[in-house]
Structure formats: C-alpha cells, structure tokens
Amino acid sequence: MLRVLFLMLLLLASLIAGPYLAGKQGYVRIETASHIVEMSITTLVIFFVLALALVYSIEVVISRFFRLSNNTYSWFSRRKRTKAQKQTLEGLMRMDEGDYSKAEKLIGKNAKHSDEPVLNFIKAAEAAQQRGDEFSANRYLMEATEIAGSDSLVLEIARIRILLQQNKLPAARSSVDSLLLMAGKNKEVLKLAVEIYLKSKAYQALDNILDQIEKSGLYASQEFVALQTQVEDGLLDEKMNEEGVDGLLDWWDEQSRKRRNDARVKLALITRLIDANDHESAYEFMLELVKKLDSDNSPLTQELFKQISRLQPEDNSKLVKFISKWLKGANTSVQCCAHRALGYLYVRNNDFAKANEVFKALIANKEKLEPADITMASYVFEQVGDKVAAQQLREDGLKSVMAVENLNLSEETSENPTALLAQK
C-alpha cells in the first residue's frame, strides 16, 4: 500500500513540476558504444516511475504465488495432522481390543504428522512387541530417538519395558541403572527398577534404593514391608551362598543399627546359621533376641520358638533359664510353643526329668500338638520309665491319624461316589 502511495505521489510531483520545467527543461543523453539515447528530464522521470511500478507488480505476483503455495502446504499439513489424530485414536482403541497388528499400522503410519510423534512411535513399538515383532519394535524406538534424542525420560521408560518383554534382562538392568541416576525419584522408574532387580536377583542394588522407594510412596505400608523382607532374605541367602558363614557374619556387622536391631531380620540370620550348623553363633544371636521377646502369639514369636527347638549349642543353660522364667508370665496362647522349645532343650541336655514335666504340659493342649511332638514326648516318657504313658500316647496319636484319614476319605467319597471303588 505504501509503495502504491509513493508511486502516486511521485507521478503527481512530476505532473506539477512538468509545466514549470517545460520552458527550462534540458535533456538527458545516454550514450553507449553503439547507441545514443536522448530524452527530456520529464520523460526520464515518467520512465523511472513506470519502471518502479513494473518491479513492484512483479514482486506482488511472486509474493502471492508463494503465499498461495504456503496456504496449500498448510492445508495439506492440517489434513495430515487431522488424519494422524484419527488414526492414533483408532489405533489406541485397537490396542485395547488386542488387535496389535492393526493398531501398529494405524499408530505408526502417520506418526510423524501427529501432535506427539514420539508417543506415537512408542505406542507403535509396544504394539509390535505385543505381536512378537522385535525388529519392528526396535525400529520404531530408533525413529522415536531421532526425534526426541537419547535423554527423553518417557522414551527410555518405554525402551526398558520393551526390553523386559523381550527377556533381555542384562540390557534392561543397564538401562535402569542409568535411568536411576537421571530420574531416581520418578515412581515409574523406581517401579521398573524393583521389577528388574527382583528378576535378576540384584538384592544389593535394590537394597540401595529402598529408602527412595519408601519416600516415593510407591507401595502401601504392608506392601513395602513385604518387599523389604524379600530383599533382606535375598541378601542373607546371597551372602551365605557366595561367602559362607564367615562372609554372612561380616556382612551383618556392616549393617546399620536399625537393621541389626530388627527382630525379624535377626531371626532370619539365626535360621540360616542353624541351617549351616553354626549353632554357637546362632545361640549368641538368639540370646540377644529373646530379651526382646513379646508375650503375644505373633507369627514372629512362633517362628522364634521353632528355631529354638532346632538349636544344638554345647551349653544352652542361659536360654533354658530365660525361657523358664519367661513362661511364668507368658500368654497361654503362646505357652505351647514355649513348652515345645524348652522340652527339646532339656532333651539335648539329657535332663529327661524336666523334659517330662514340660512335655506333659505340652500334650495337655492336644489341639496344638504337632506330629513330631508325640514322637518326642513318647521318647521322653520312656526315658523316665513311664512306658504306659508312652504307649498310650502313641495309641492316641495313631487314633488321631486314622480319624483324620477316615474324615478325608469320607469327604472324597461324598464328592465322588466311585472314589472308594477306584482305591480298591
């Protein structure tokens, strides 16, 4: 618009100045090697104006042409984006339906024209992996990497998931190690790390991030305790299998005070020491643990007395004295477990008189007896000369076993009338 106005003003000035210069005008001479051009100043001005007008006209035509091309390109681009969006939505629906082949084609076909091409390539890779095409899955991930770069968190998470589906555990482990350094507080990263470390039995690596997992709120309280228990048991087994008893004890000394004061972990340590026939070390730890013994019938208390009954130290007098004193104020629900453990300790000391008293108290609660209790009690009664009681106990035990077998047989017969004929 300004250019047209400039040309009009320039032409108007020429028309006004033309008559004034009509009588005083000179001329312009342009001479080349073979031509001579002569014209008046007014003609030169008019020629100049027309030349400018021609140049501006050509510029307008070219600008409109390119603007038209740009509009055409934008129209095609919008059309491709709209089509890509529709195909993406349809592809996601097909994935939910389990049609992964069709989903891969729809999501990956126009992925570059979608609003989020990286996500499209990731979903296409997941669909390809679901149908078992690892080559296509890796190709889609490479295309996503070209767009997003190698530091995209969502891309790296998707890559690790696909590596897990491909059972490439070492590669997934390496990737999640790097990802923890980059985004160690991310819940999805921590969740993948837990899955990978558990599958690869990398309990030490998982133990190193337990605090981060707890702070992240990824698991509920009970779920986290279960995970922590699994990790600690795994570490104990790992140290025992790789380094033996000495390595396990050295590892225990290096642990935090919180872990060394954890009754459950200490009991797990004692269990493994007994399994390895290191009863003396297990006995020392057991003496520390029983001092914190509760009077309730918790699973931990039951397991503790179970391990006590397995202990075979050279001198168990301190433990016997403590349990005997503890039994006086213990809850009746847990006395059965304590009597059993104390009875076994007396038997190993060859103190059958005291063992006799303990096992009599034990068999008084017949509903809590275990099969081994009858055998051990019978042996103790024989050792003290009470063969009648030993024989009666064996007969009662045999009747109980037969009653249970008959009950099971009757249940099977009621459910399947031909079961008895089949046994015959």
Side-chain angles (χ1 to χ4, degrees):
M1 187 69 182
L2 292 176
R3 293 175 180 177
V4 176
L5 181 60
F6 171 71
L7 290 174
M8 296 297 294
L9 292 175
L10 187 60
L11 183 59
L12 181 60
S14 301
L15 293 176
I16 294 174
Y20 174 75
L21 297 173
K24 301 178 180 180
Q25 63 179 339
Y27 73 98
V28 177
R29 179 185 177 91
I30 301 174
E31 183 174 351
T32 65
S34 58
H35 295 84
I36 297 175
V37 178
E38 294 181 354
M39 66 181 70
S40 65
I41 294 177
T42 303
T43 304
L44 179 62
V45 172
I46 294 173
F47 177 77
F48 179 71
V49 172
L50 293 175
L52 282 177
L54 179 62
V55 170
Y56 289 159
S57 299
I58 294 172
E59 182 186 2
V60 170
V61 171
I62 293 174
S63 298
R64 289 189 176 182
F65 173 76
F66 282 110
R67 191 179 298 115
L68 179 63
S69 299
N70 184 55
N71 291 339
T72 303
Y73 176 77
S74 299
W75 182 83
F76 279 108
S77 298
R78 286 194 300 271
R79 183 175 179 275
K80 289 181 179 179
R81 284 198 299 271
T82 303
K83 185 178 180 182
Q85 186 176 3
K86 290 181 179 179
Q87 289 181 336
T88 299
L89 293 174
E90 185 179 353
L92 292 174
M93 292 176 63
R94 291 300 180 94
M95 281 193 72
D96 291 338
E97 295 171 359
D99 189 355
Y100 298 110
S101 179
K102 186 65 175 179
E104 178 193 346
K105 292 179 180 178
L106 289 169
I107 297 174
K109 187 175 182 180
N110 289 312
K112 291 183 178 180
H113 302 291
S114 64
D115 294 335
E116 296 292 342
V118 175
L119 297 180
N120 272 58
F121 281 125
I122 289 174
K123 285 298 181 182
E126 291 176 355
Q129 183 59 44
Q130 286 292 338
R131 63 183 185 85
D133 189 352
E134 294 186 7
F135 177 80
S136 295
N138 294 333
R139 177 170 57 84
Y140 286 124
L141 288 176
M142 290 177 63
E143 293 187 49
T145 304
E146 292 177 359
I147 299 173
S150 58
D151 59 346
S152 173
L153 180 60
V154 65
L155 177 58
E156 291 305 313
I157 290 175
R159 191 191 308 279
I160 293 173
R161 285 176 181 162
I162 290 177
L163 286 172
L164 278 175
Q165 292 175 4
Q166 295 173 352
N167 293 321
K168 296 178 179 178
L169 201 56
R173 166 75 189 277
S174 178
S175 297
V176 83
D177 286 342
S178 302
L179 205 55
L180 281 170
L181 297 175
M182 184 174 69
K185 295 182 179 180
N186 184 278
K187 289 186 177 182
E188 195 61 33
V189 174
L190 290 172
K191 187 176 181 180
L192 283 171
V194 170
E195 181 179 358
I196 292 170
Y197 289 154
L198 286 178
K199 284 186 176 181
S200 59
K201 296 184 178 180
Y203 297 110
Q204 186 58 59
L206 186 51
D207 186 48
N208 293 337
I209 61 171
L210 275 180
D211 289 340
Q212 295 173 243
I213 295 172
E214 184 177 15
K215 292 177 182 177
S216 69
L218 181 62
Y219 296 100
S221 179
Q222 293 182 349
E223 292 176 338
F224 177 76
V225 170
L227 174 64
Q228 186 177 23
T229 300
Q230 186 176 0
V231 171
E232 290 167 341
D233 288 343
L235 284 171
L236 290 168
D237 290 333
E238 184 179 279
K239 293 299 176 181
M240 175 62 79
N241 295 334
E242 293 181 359
E243 303 177 26
V245 172
D246 293 336
L248 179 62
L249 293 175
D250 291 341
W251 172 84
W252 179 258
D253 291 336
E254 296 171 357
Q255 298 308 296
S256 64
R257 180 179 297 179
K258 179 182 178 181
R259 175 166 288 172
R260 285 187 282 112
N261 290 333
D262 189 324
R264 194 213 65 80
V265 185
K266 184 173 287 188
L267 183 57
L269 172 68
I270 292 170
T271 303
R272 284 155 181 80
L273 290 174
I274 295 174
D275 291 339
N277 289 323
D278 188 357
H279 292 273
E280 298 304 323
S281 297
Y283 180 69
E284 294 299 324
F285 286 116
M286 185 63 78
L287 288 176
E288 297 175 4
L289 190 56
V290 293
K291 294 177 182 178
K292 303 177 182 179
L293 185 62
D294 295 329
S295 59
D296 60 347
N297 192 22
S298 65
L300 183 63
T301 303
Q302 294 177 17
E303 182 63 24
L304 185 143
F305 281 118
K306 179 180 178 182
Q307 298 308 319
I308 289 177
S309 64
R310 296 177 61 206
L311 270 176
Q312 301 179 33
E314 292 183 2
D315 181 12
N316 59 21
S317 57
K318 291 183 180 179
L319 188 58
V320 169
K321 184 177 180 181
F322 182 88
I323 296 177
S324 300
K325 183 178 179 181
W326 179 85
L327 263 170
K328 296 177 181 179
N331 193 318
T332 54
S333 62
V334 76
Q335 284 182 355
C336 181
C337 297
H339 281 132
R340 181 182 297 110
L342 189 59
Y344 275 81
L345 291 176
Y346 281 138
V347 169
R348 293 194 177 99
N349 292 340
N350 292 322
D351 192 347
F352 293 105
K354 291 183 179 180
N356 179 48
E357 296 176 4
V358 172
F359 274 105
K360 282 183 178 179
L362 176 63
I363 63 176
N365 297 320
K366 294 183 178 180
E367 66 279 0
K368 294 184 179 181
L369 285 178
E370 295 181 358
D373 295 339
I374 296 176
T375 303
M376 182 58 74
S378 301
Y379 171 73
V380 170
F381 293 161
E382 287 179 345
Q383 294 300 314
V384 297
D386 193 352
K387 295 184 178 180
V388 175
Q391 183 64 29
Q392 183 64 39
L393 186 61
R394 287 195 180 97
E395 291 178 359
D396 291 343
L398 182 60
K399 290 178 181 178
S400 298
V401 172
M402 293 181 65
V404 172
E405 290 180 352
N406 290 333
L407 179 62
N408 293 335
L409 182 60
S410 62
E411 290 178 354
E412 292 178 2
T413 305
S414 62
E415 293 177 0
N416 184 7
T418 60
L420 189 59
L421 293 175
Q423 289 183 5
K424 292 181 178 180

Short mmCIF file of all heavy atoms in Angstrom, two decimals, residues 198-244:
data_model
loop_
_atom_site.label_atom_id
_atom_site.label_comp_id
_atom_site.label_asym_id
_atom_site.label_seq_id
_atom_site.Cartn_x
_atom_site.Cartn_y
_atom_site.Cartn_z
N LEU A 198 14.50 -57.56 41.10
CA LEU A 198 13.98 -58.80 41.66
C LEU A 198 14.16 -59.95 40.68
O LEU A 198 14.54 -61.06 41.08
CB LEU A 198 12.50 -58.65 42.02
CG LEU A 198 12.18 -57.81 43.27
CD1 LEU A 198 10.68 -57.71 43.46
CD2 LEU A 198 12.83 -58.41 44.51
N LYS A 199 13.91 -59.69 39.40
CA LYS A 199 14.07 -60.74 38.40
C LYS A 199 15.53 -61.17 38.26
O LYS A 199 15.81 -62.36 38.03
CB LYS A 199 13.52 -60.27 37.05
CG LYS A 199 12.01 -60.28 36.96
CD LYS A 199 11.55 -59.95 35.55
CE LYS A 199 10.02 -60.05 35.45
NZ LYS A 199 9.55 -59.75 34.07
N SER A 200 16.43 -60.22 38.35
CA SER A 200 17.86 -60.53 38.22
C SER A 200 18.51 -60.87 39.56
O SER A 200 19.72 -61.10 39.63
CB SER A 200 18.60 -59.34 37.58
OG SER A 200 18.43 -58.17 38.36
N LYS A 201 17.70 -60.88 40.64
CA LYS A 201 18.17 -61.19 41.99
C LYS A 201 19.31 -60.25 42.41
O LYS A 201 20.25 -60.67 43.11
CB LYS A 201 18.61 -62.65 42.09
CG LYS A 201 17.46 -63.63 41.88
CD LYS A 201 17.90 -65.06 42.06
CE LYS A 201 16.71 -66.01 41.88
NZ LYS A 201 17.09 -67.43 42.05
N ALA A 202 19.21 -59.00 41.99
CA ALA A 202 20.19 -57.98 42.38
C ALA A 202 19.73 -57.33 43.68
O ALA A 202 19.32 -56.17 43.71
CB ALA A 202 20.36 -56.95 41.26
N TYR A 203 19.81 -58.10 44.77
CA TYR A 203 19.25 -57.63 46.03
C TYR A 203 20.03 -56.47 46.63
O TYR A 203 19.45 -55.60 47.28
CB TYR A 203 19.19 -58.79 47.02
CG TYR A 203 18.28 -59.91 46.58
CD1 TYR A 203 18.78 -61.15 46.19
CD2 TYR A 203 16.90 -59.72 46.53
CE1 TYR A 203 17.93 -62.17 45.77
CE2 TYR A 203 16.05 -60.73 46.12
CZ TYR A 203 16.58 -61.95 45.74
OH TYR A 203 15.75 -62.96 45.32
N GLN A 204 21.33 -56.45 46.41
CA GLN A 204 22.12 -55.35 46.95
C GLN A 204 21.76 -54.04 46.26
O GLN A 204 21.63 -52.99 46.91
CB GLN A 204 23.62 -55.63 46.78
CG GLN A 204 24.51 -54.60 47.44
CD GLN A 204 24.26 -54.48 48.93
OE1 GLN A 204 24.39 -55.46 49.67
NE2 GLN A 204 23.91 -53.29 49.40
N ALA A 205 21.60 -54.08 44.93
CA ALA A 205 21.20 -52.87 44.19
C ALA A 205 19.82 -52.40 44.63
O ALA A 205 19.57 -51.20 44.76
CB ALA A 205 21.21 -53.16 42.69
N LEU A 206 18.93 -53.34 44.88
CA LEU A 206 17.59 -52.99 45.33
C LEU A 206 17.61 -52.46 46.76
O LEU A 206 16.87 -51.52 47.10
CB LEU A 206 16.67 -54.21 45.23
CG LEU A 206 15.18 -54.01 45.52
CD1 LEU A 206 14.62 -52.85 44.71
CD2 LEU A 206 14.40 -55.27 45.23
N ASP A 207 18.48 -53.01 47.58
CA ASP A 207 18.61 -52.53 48.96
C ASP A 207 19.10 -51.08 48.99
O ASP A 207 18.71 -50.31 49.87
CB ASP A 207 19.59 -53.43 49.72
CG ASP A 207 19.65 -53.10 51.19
OD1 ASP A 207 18.59 -52.96 51.81
OD2 ASP A 207 20.77 -52.96 51.72
N ASN A 208 19.92 -50.72 48.00
CA ASN A 208 20.46 -49.35 47.96
C ASN A 208 19.39 -48.30 47.68
O ASN A 208 19.60 -47.11 47.99
CB ASN A 208 21.56 -49.26 46.89
CG ASN A 208 22.78 -50.08 47.25
OD1 ASN A 208 23.02 -50.39 48.42
ND2 ASN A 208 23.56 -50.47 46.25
N ILE A 209 18.28 -48.70 47.07
CA ILE A 209 17.24 -47.71 46.73
C ILE A 209 15.97 -47.91 47.55
O ILE A 209 14.94 -47.30 47.24
CB ILE A 209 16.90 -47.77 45.22
CG1 ILE A 209 16.34 -49.15 44.83
CG2 ILE A 209 18.10 -47.43 44.37
CD1 ILE A 209 15.80 -49.19 43.41
N LEU A 210 16.03 -48.73 48.60
CA LEU A 210 14.84 -48.96 49.42
C LEU A 210 14.35 -47.67 50.07
O LEU A 210 13.14 -47.45 50.19
CB LEU A 210 15.13 -50.01 50.49
CG LEU A 210 14.97 -51.48 50.08
CD1 LEU A 210 15.28 -52.40 51.24
CD2 LEU A 210 13.57 -51.76 49.54
N ASP A 211 15.28 -46.83 50.51
CA ASP A 211 14.86 -45.56 51.13
C ASP A 211 14.12 -44.68 50.13
O ASP A 211 13.12 -44.04 50.48
CB ASP A 211 16.09 -44.83 51.68
CG ASP A 211 16.66 -45.52 52.90
OD1 ASP A 211 15.94 -46.30 53.53
OD2 ASP A 211 17.85 -45.31 53.21
N GLN A 212 14.61 -44.63 48.89
CA GLN A 212 13.94 -43.84 47.85
C GLN A 212 12.55 -44.39 47.57
O GLN A 212 11.59 -43.64 47.37
CB GLN A 212 14.76 -43.84 46.56
CG GLN A 212 16.10 -43.15 46.69
CD GLN A 212 16.95 -43.34 45.44
OE1 GLN A 212 18.02 -43.93 45.48
NE2 GLN A 212 16.47 -42.83 44.34
N ILE A 213 12.43 -45.71 47.53
CA ILE A 213 11.13 -46.35 47.27
C ILE A 213 10.15 -46.03 48.39
O ILE A 213 8.98 -45.72 48.13
CB ILE A 213 11.31 -47.87 47.12
CG1 ILE A 213 12.16 -48.18 45.88
CG2 ILE A 213 9.96 -48.56 47.02
CD1 ILE A 213 12.55 -49.63 45.76
N GLU A 214 10.62 -46.07 49.64
CA GLU A 214 9.74 -45.78 50.76
C GLU A 214 9.27 -44.33 50.74
O GLU A 214 8.09 -44.04 50.97
CB GLU A 214 10.47 -46.08 52.07
CG GLU A 214 9.60 -45.91 53.31
CD GLU A 214 10.33 -46.28 54.58
OE1 GLU A 214 11.58 -46.39 54.53
OE2 GLU A 214 9.67 -46.46 55.61
N LYS A 215 10.18 -43.40 50.45
CA LYS A 215 9.83 -41.98 50.42
C LYS A 215 8.90 -41.65 49.25
O LYS A 215 8.11 -40.71 49.33
CB LYS A 215 11.09 -41.14 50.32
CG LYS A 215 11.96 -41.20 51.57
CD LYS A 215 13.24 -40.40 51.38
CE LYS A 215 14.14 -40.50 52.61
NZ LYS A 215 15.43 -39.77 52.40
N SER A 216 9.01 -42.40 48.16
CA SER A 216 8.19 -42.09 46.98
C SER A 216 6.72 -42.42 47.17
O SER A 216 5.87 -41.92 46.44
CB SER A 216 8.73 -42.88 45.77
OG SER A 216 8.48 -44.27 45.92
N GLY A 217 6.40 -43.28 48.15
CA GLY A 217 5.01 -43.68 48.34
C GLY A 217 4.51 -44.62 47.27
O GLY A 217 3.30 -44.74 47.03
N LEU A 218 5.43 -45.30 46.60
CA LEU A 218 5.06 -46.21 45.52
C LEU A 218 4.25 -47.39 46.03
O LEU A 218 3.35 -47.88 45.34
CB LEU A 218 6.34 -46.69 44.81
CG LEU A 218 6.18 -47.62 43.63
CD1 LEU A 218 5.40 -46.94 42.51
CD2 LEU A 218 7.54 -48.08 43.12
N TYR A 219 4.55 -47.85 47.22
CA TYR A 219 3.86 -49.00 47.78
C TYR A 219 3.17 -48.61 49.09
O TYR A 219 3.62 -47.71 49.79
CB TYR A 219 4.85 -50.14 48.07
CG TYR A 219 5.51 -50.70 46.84
CD1 TYR A 219 6.80 -50.32 46.47
CD2 TYR A 219 4.86 -51.63 46.04
CE1 TYR A 219 7.41 -50.83 45.35
CE2 TYR A 219 5.45 -52.16 44.91
CZ TYR A 219 6.73 -51.75 44.57
OH TYR A 219 7.33 -52.26 43.46
N ALA A 220 2.09 -49.32 49.37
CA ALA A 220 1.44 -49.17 50.68
C ALA A 220 2.36 -49.74 51.75
O ALA A 220 3.33 -50.44 51.45
CB ALA A 220 0.09 -49.89 50.68
N SER A 221 2.03 -49.45 52.99
CA SER A 221 2.90 -49.84 54.11
C SER A 221 3.18 -51.34 54.13
O SER A 221 4.33 -51.77 54.21
CB SER A 221 2.27 -49.40 55.43
OG SER A 221 3.08 -49.79 56.51
N GLN A 222 2.14 -52.15 54.04
CA GLN A 222 2.31 -53.60 54.09
C GLN A 222 3.06 -54.12 52.88
O GLN A 222 3.89 -55.04 52.99
CB GLN A 222 0.95 -54.29 54.21
CG GLN A 222 0.24 -54.03 55.53
CD GLN A 222 -1.08 -54.76 55.64
OE1 GLN A 222 -1.57 -55.31 54.66
NE2 GLN A 222 -1.66 -54.77 56.82
N GLU A 223 2.80 -53.55 51.72
CA GLU A 223 3.49 -53.97 50.50
C GLU A 223 4.98 -53.66 50.59
O GLU A 223 5.82 -54.46 50.15
CB GLU A 223 2.88 -53.28 49.28
CG GLU A 223 1.46 -53.73 48.97
CD GLU A 223 0.86 -52.94 47.82
OE1 GLU A 223 1.35 -51.81 47.56
OE2 GLU A 223 -0.09 -53.44 47.19
N PHE A 224 5.30 -52.48 51.15
CA PHE A 224 6.71 -52.12 51.27
C PHE A 224 7.42 -53.05 52.26
O PHE A 224 8.57 -53.45 52.02
CB PHE A 224 6.86 -50.68 51.72
CG PHE A 224 8.28 -50.26 51.94
CD1 PHE A 224 9.10 -49.98 50.85
CD2 PHE A 224 8.82 -50.17 53.22
CE1 PHE A 224 10.43 -49.62 51.03
CE2 PHE A 224 10.14 -49.81 53.41
CZ PHE A 224 10.95 -49.53 52.31
N VAL A 225 6.76 -53.38 53.37
CA VAL A 225 7.35 -54.30 54.34
C VAL A 225 7.62 -55.65 53.69
O VAL A 225 8.67 -56.28 53.92
CB VAL A 225 6.43 -54.45 55.57
CG1 VAL A 225 6.92 -55.57 56.47
CG2 VAL A 225 6.38 -53.14 56.34
N ALA A 226 6.67 -56.12 52.86
CA ALA A 226 6.86 -57.40 52.16
C ALA A 226 8.05 -57.33 51.21
O ALA A 226 8.85 -58.27 51.12
CB ALA A 226 5.59 -57.76 51.40
N LEU A 227 8.18 -56.21 50.50
CA LEU A 227 9.32 -56.02 49.60
C LEU A 227 10.63 -55.98 50.38
O LEU A 227 11.61 -56.62 49.98
CB LEU A 227 9.14 -54.73 48.80
CG LEU A 227 10.31 -54.32 47.90
CD1 LEU A 227 10.53 -55.36 46.81
CD2 LEU A 227 10.06 -52.95 47.29
N GLN A 228 10.64 -55.25 51.47
CA GLN A 228 11.84 -55.14 52.29
C GLN A 228 12.25 -56.52 52.84
O GLN A 228 13.43 -56.87 52.86
CB GLN A 228 11.60 -54.17 53.44
CG GLN A 228 12.84 -53.87 54.27
CD GLN A 228 12.56 -52.83 55.34
OE1 GLN A 228 11.42 -52.63 55.75
NE2 GLN A 228 13.60 -52.15 55.79
N THR A 229 11.25 -57.29 53.27
CA THR A 229 11.52 -58.64 53.76
C THR A 229 12.13 -59.52 52.68
O THR A 229 13.10 -60.25 52.91
CB THR A 229 10.22 -59.28 54.27
OG1 THR A 229 9.69 -58.49 55.33
CG2 THR A 229 10.46 -60.70 54.76
N GLN A 230 11.58 -59.42 51.46
CA GLN A 230 12.10 -60.21 50.34
C GLN A 230 13.55 -59.82 50.03
O GLN A 230 14.39 -60.69 49.75
CB GLN A 230 11.22 -59.99 49.11
CG GLN A 230 11.59 -60.87 47.93
CD GLN A 230 10.63 -60.70 46.77
OE1 GLN A 230 9.68 -59.92 46.83
NE2 GLN A 230 10.88 -61.44 45.70
N VAL A 231 13.84 -58.53 50.09
CA VAL A 231 15.20 -58.05 49.81
C VAL A 231 16.18 -58.54 50.88
O VAL A 231 17.27 -59.03 50.57
CB VAL A 231 15.22 -56.51 49.72
CG1 VAL A 231 16.66 -56.00 49.64
CG2 VAL A 231 14.44 -56.04 48.51
N GLU A 232 15.78 -58.41 52.14
CA GLU A 232 16.68 -58.81 53.23
C GLU A 232 16.92 -60.32 53.23
O GLU A 232 18.06 -60.77 53.44
CB GLU A 232 16.08 -58.36 54.56
CG GLU A 232 16.13 -56.84 54.74
CD GLU A 232 15.27 -56.33 55.88
OE1 GLU A 232 14.37 -57.07 56.32
OE2 GLU A 232 15.50 -55.19 56.32
N ASP A 233 15.87 -61.10 52.97
CA ASP A 233 16.06 -62.54 52.87
C ASP A 233 16.96 -62.89 51.69
O ASP A 233 17.80 -63.80 51.77
CB ASP A 233 14.71 -63.24 52.72
CG ASP A 233 13.90 -63.22 54.00
OD1 ASP A 233 14.50 -62.97 55.07
OD2 ASP A 233 12.67 -63.44 53.95
N GLY A 234 16.78 -62.17 50.59
CA GLY A 234 17.63 -62.40 49.43
C GLY A 234 19.09 -62.08 49.71
O GLY A 234 20.00 -62.81 49.28
N LEU A 235 19.34 -60.99 50.44
CA LEU A 235 20.72 -60.63 50.79
C LEU A 235 21.35 -61.68 51.69
O LEU A 235 22.52 -62.06 51.52
CB LEU A 235 20.73 -59.27 51.50
CG LEU A 235 20.55 -58.04 50.61
CD1 LEU A 235 20.37 -56.80 51.46
CD2 LEU A 235 21.76 -57.86 49.69
N LEU A 236 20.58 -62.18 52.67
CA LEU A 236 21.09 -63.22 53.57
C LEU A 236 21.45 -64.49 52.79
O LEU A 236 22.53 -65.07 52.99
CB LEU A 236 20.06 -63.53 54.65
CG LEU A 236 19.81 -62.44 55.70
CD1 LEU A 236 18.56 -62.76 56.51
CD2 LEU A 236 21.01 -62.32 56.62
N ASP A 237 20.57 -64.91 51.90
CA ASP A 237 20.84 -66.10 51.09
C ASP A 237 22.05 -65.89 50.17
O ASP A 237 22.88 -66.79 49.98
CB ASP A 237 19.62 -66.47 50.26
CG ASP A 237 18.48 -66.99 51.12
OD1 ASP A 237 18.75 -67.54 52.20
OD2 ASP A 237 17.30 -66.83 50.71
N GLU A 238 22.12 -64.69 49.59
CA GLU A 238 23.21 -64.38 48.67
C GLU A 238 24.57 -64.44 49.38
O GLU A 238 25.53 -65.05 48.87
CB GLU A 238 22.98 -62.99 48.07
CG GLU A 238 23.99 -62.56 47.03
CD GLU A 238 23.66 -61.19 46.49
OE1 GLU A 238 22.79 -61.09 45.61
OE2 GLU A 238 24.28 -60.21 46.97
N LYS A 239 24.65 -63.83 50.56
CA LYS A 239 25.90 -63.83 51.30
C LYS A 239 26.26 -65.24 51.78
O LYS A 239 27.43 -65.64 51.73
CB LYS A 239 25.80 -62.89 52.50
CG LYS A 239 25.68 -61.42 52.12
CD LYS A 239 26.90 -60.96 51.34
CE LYS A 239 26.74 -59.52 50.88
NZ LYS A 239 27.92 -59.07 50.10
N MET A 240 25.27 -66.00 52.22
CA MET A 240 25.53 -67.35 52.69
C MET A 240 26.01 -68.24 51.54
O MET A 240 26.99 -69.00 51.69
CB MET A 240 24.27 -67.94 53.31
CG MET A 240 24.38 -69.40 53.72
SD MET A 240 25.63 -69.68 54.99
CE MET A 240 24.74 -69.16 56.44
N ASN A 241 25.36 -68.14 50.39
CA ASN A 241 25.71 -69.00 49.26
C ASN A 241 27.06 -68.63 48.65
O ASN A 241 27.79 -69.51 48.17
CB ASN A 241 24.62 -68.92 48.19
CG ASN A 241 23.30 -69.48 48.67
OD1 ASN A 241 23.27 -70.34 49.56
ND2 ASN A 241 22.20 -69.01 48.11
N GLU A 242 27.39 -67.33 48.65
CA GLU A 242 28.61 -66.89 47.98
C GLU A 242 29.82 -66.85 48.91
O GLU A 242 30.93 -67.13 48.49
CB GLU A 242 28.39 -65.50 47.37
CG GLU A 242 27.38 -65.48 46.23
CD GLU A 242 27.20 -64.09 45.65
OE1 GLU A 242 27.85 -63.15 46.15
OE2 GLU A 242 26.41 -63.96 44.69
N GLU A 243 29.62 -66.50 50.19
CA GLU A 243 30.75 -66.27 51.08
C GLU A 243 30.72 -67.14 52.33
O GLU A 243 31.63 -67.04 53.16
CB GLU A 243 30.80 -64.78 51.48
CG GLU A 243 30.89 -63.84 50.28
CD GLU A 243 30.88 -62.38 50.69
OE1 GLU A 243 31.29 -62.08 51.82
OE2 GLU A 243 30.45 -61.54 49.87
N GLY A 244 29.69 -67.94 52.49
CA GLY A 244 29.63 -68.82 53.64
C GLY A 244 29.28 -68.10 54.93
O GLY A 244 28.90 -66.92 54.93
#
